[in-house]
Amino acid sequence: MVRAIERASAAPVLVWRGILRRMKTKAIRNSVRSAPSRSIWIGSHRTSVRLEPVMWAALNDIAAERGKTVHDVILEINRDRKGISLTAAIRVYIVEYYREALRGCRTEKAPPSPAGPGDLKGDRLAETSRR
């Protein structure tokens, strides 16, 4: 009789443990540290993209700078991707976008060369290398 009561009460405990485990897993998945998932439509196909919050913020900044919506930028990325997942293509696009912006900043702020056109030492070096 005691064993029947133990068995009957053990089943709800196992169910409760399962519920808690699922709740904890869902909480971890949706925490700030994890990459939130967003659903998007590409044509008539719905898909989800999971990116870190900083990547979503970067994508929002890029879209705002280009005068487009995030959805339009994602559609553009989807058209140009070749053989990689959409999430990976978005990450690559963001990195390439900022690398290109950094290159633009470097060329604008490049210091003048030490052997500039009015520099006599540079002119003499050029003459000696021609001889």
Side-chain angles (χ1 to χ4, degrees):
M1 184 83 170
V2 173
R3 288 188 177 179
I5 294 172
E6 287 175 7
R7 286 183 191 157
S9 63
V13 170
L14 292 176
V15 170
W16 181 244
R17 283 183 186 162
I19 292 171
L20 286 176
R21 189 176 303 125
R22 281 193 302 267
M23 288 172 60
K24 185 190 289 185
T25 304
K26 190 173 183 179
I28 290 170
R29 195 175 337 136
N30 294 331
S31 71
V32 175
R33 290 181 290 154
S34 71
S37 180
R38 295 190 188 178
S39 294
I40 59 169
W41 287 90
I42 297 178
S44 61
H45 177 70
R46 183 177 153 194
T47 187
S48 64
V49 176
R50 185 180 299 260
L51 292 170
E52 294 75 15
V54 69
M55 291 294 193
W56 284 116
L59 199 57
N60 281 323
D61 293 344
I62 292 169
E65 187 175 320
R66 298 175 124 210
K68 297 181 178 182
T69 65
V70 172
H71 185 261
D72 291 338
V73 173
I74 290 174
L75 288 177
E76 179 183 318
I77 294 168
N78 185 56
R79 275 192 301 264
D80 296 338
R81 73 182 169 121
K82 295 175 179 75
I84 60 174
S85 71
L86 180 58
T87 303
I90 292 170
R91 285 190 178 105
V92 168
Y93 179 85
I94 292 169
V95 169
E96 289 297 321
Y97 181 86
Y98 284 111
R99 286 182 73 198
E100 186 62 35
L102 183 61
R103 274 189 219 114
C105 288
R106 285 182 179 163
T107 57
E108 289 174 6
K109 295 181 180 180
S113 64
D119 190 21
L120 293 176
K121 289 180 183 177
D123 291 340
R124 287 184 192 152
L125 287 174
E127 286 176 18
T128 56
S129 65
R130 286 186 211 140
R131 293 180 192 172

